[in-house]
Amino acid sequence: MAGEAADRFVRMAVSEDPGYLAFWRDERHYATLTTHRPDGTPHVVPVCVTYDPDTRTARVVASRGSRKVRNIRAAGPEGARVALCQVDRARWATLEGRAVVRTEREPVAEAERRFEERYGRAPRPNPERVLIEISVDRTMGRVAARS
């Protein structure tokens, strides 16, 4: 890519671009989470997500019996490759990595706290809540500032 388009496109092992990070941290967007069903077909659903660039960890709270959780668990103890993508008009950003399901109270509570910080509201009460924790190892996107 050349010129202005190259300045707006970010593709790195893991982006540390301030505009890219602000898109995940400072704005309230829904994202899509893509997992794979046991038969290999993609399963794409809208989710709320938080991203911590210091630890390269994305967090999604979910219900224990949801299809996305079952897909990740079906991949085995190492977890599953997943992708998160959020879009705002022509701006978009993707996080890719390995997801595992966490059920311990402390990490779930931390994910709920981060959710409330980003989205300005607590997640709905859910006694079946678990955490999908994604170790991010690849990012890409186009996140030029809004005009």
Side-chain angles (χ1 to χ4, degrees), residues 17 25 32-33 36 38 41-42 55-56 66-67 69 78 84 87 92 94 105 116 118-119 124-125 137 140 145-146:
D17 176 76
R25 181 188 60 240
T32 58
L33 172 66
H36 290 91
T41 58
T55 62
R56 298 180 176 172
S66 69
R67 167 50 61 193
V69 168
E78 303 86 36
L84 288 157
V87 177
W92 60 275
T94 298
R105 184 67 213 133
E116 187 167 3
R118 181 172 191 204
Y119 291 97
R124 66 177 171 75
D137 58 21
M140 61 182 151
R146 285 194 250 195

Side-chain angles (χ1 to χ4, degrees), residues 27-118:
E27 300 178 33
R28 294 180 187 158
H29 297 289
Y30 291 103
T32 58
L33 172 66
T34 302
T35 62
H36 290 91
R37 296 178 183 96
D39 69 2
T41 58
H43 178 254
V44 183
V45 293
V47 296
C48 292
V49 60
T50 63
Y51 178 53
D52 180 350
D54 294 332
T55 62
R56 298 180 176 172
T57 303
R59 294 172 178 87
V60 174
V61 293
S63 202
R64 182 180 317 272
S66 69
R67 167 50 61 193
K68 58 188 166 280
V69 168
R70 293 191 326 260
N71 289 344
I72 294 166
R73 285 186 165 157
E78 303 86 36
R81 293 288 305 170
V82 302
L84 288 157
C85 183
Q86 64 181 20
V87 177
D88 178 40
R89 298 174 146 204
R91 299 179 317 138
W92 60 275
T94 298
L95 304 173
E96 296 179 21
R98 187 156 302 279
V100 295
V101 176
R102 308 274 311 264
T103 59
E104 308 93 330
R105 184 67 213 133
E106 195 169 299
V108 172
E110 176 64 12
E112 291 170 332
R113 184 193 68 73
R114 289 171 182 269
F115 177 106
E116 187 167 3
E117 185 178 281
R118 181 172 191 204

